[in-house]
Amino acid sequence: MALSIQIQSFIISFFYGFLVSYLINLCYRLLFHSKKVFQIIFTFFFNFLVCLCYFFLLYLINGGVVHLYFLGLFLLGIFVGNLFSRRARRIFLEKRE
């Protein structure tokens, strides 16, 4: 795989993880604070959609090749996105009061 394609895959993996973190925070109530049956169904479809979109993006960039370090950057993007979304949520709640 060419270096430019790997760099594009790194960037997409990180920012997609960042986006997924924000989506999890937006859907937090549906994912964690609803009836158990609805929670299971929504979590299944949410995860299915996230995985499908991620592999489709990788397919567009590099033919669908997944390496372990792409998944590592995806998880790092989720972690960093979660840190930023917590901070943004805290600032939003302070302004609201």
Side-chain angles (χ1 to χ4, degrees):
M1 184 180 317
L3 183 61
S4 62
I5 294 174
Q6 282 189 352
I7 291 173
Q8 289 174 355
S9 299
F10 285 154
I11 293 169
I12 290 297
S13 294
F14 180 78
F15 283 112
Y16 191 70
F18 200 84
L19 175 70
V20 167
S21 175
Y22 274 104
L23 289 175
I24 289 172
N25 283 320
L26 284 175
C27 301
Y28 186 82
R29 185 172 292 173
L30 293 173
L31 286 170
F32 301 109
H33 296 294
S34 60
K35 294 182 180 179
K36 204 61 160 176
V37 174
F38 184 70
Q39 192 177 17
I40 292 169
I41 292 170
F42 187 76
T43 302
F44 174 76
F45 283 116
F46 181 80
N47 288 330
F48 181 74
L49 184 64
V50 165
C51 290
L52 186 68
C53 290
Y54 181 65
F55 287 119
F56 182 70
L57 281 172
L58 284 181
Y59 179 76
L60 291 176
I61 294 171
N62 64 9
V65 177
V66 178
H67 291 287
L68 189 59
Y69 43 86
F70 294 160
L71 296 177
L73 277 168
F74 174 73
L75 293 175
L76 181 66
I78 289 176
F79 177 72
V80 171
N82 195 19
L83 291 176
F84 278 113
S85 62
R86 278 188 200 168
R87 186 171 182 221
R89 192 177 328 133
R90 203 175 309 132
I91 290 170
F92 176 74
L93 289 176
E94 286 175 0
K95 286 183 180 181
R96 197 171 183 196
E97 293 175 349

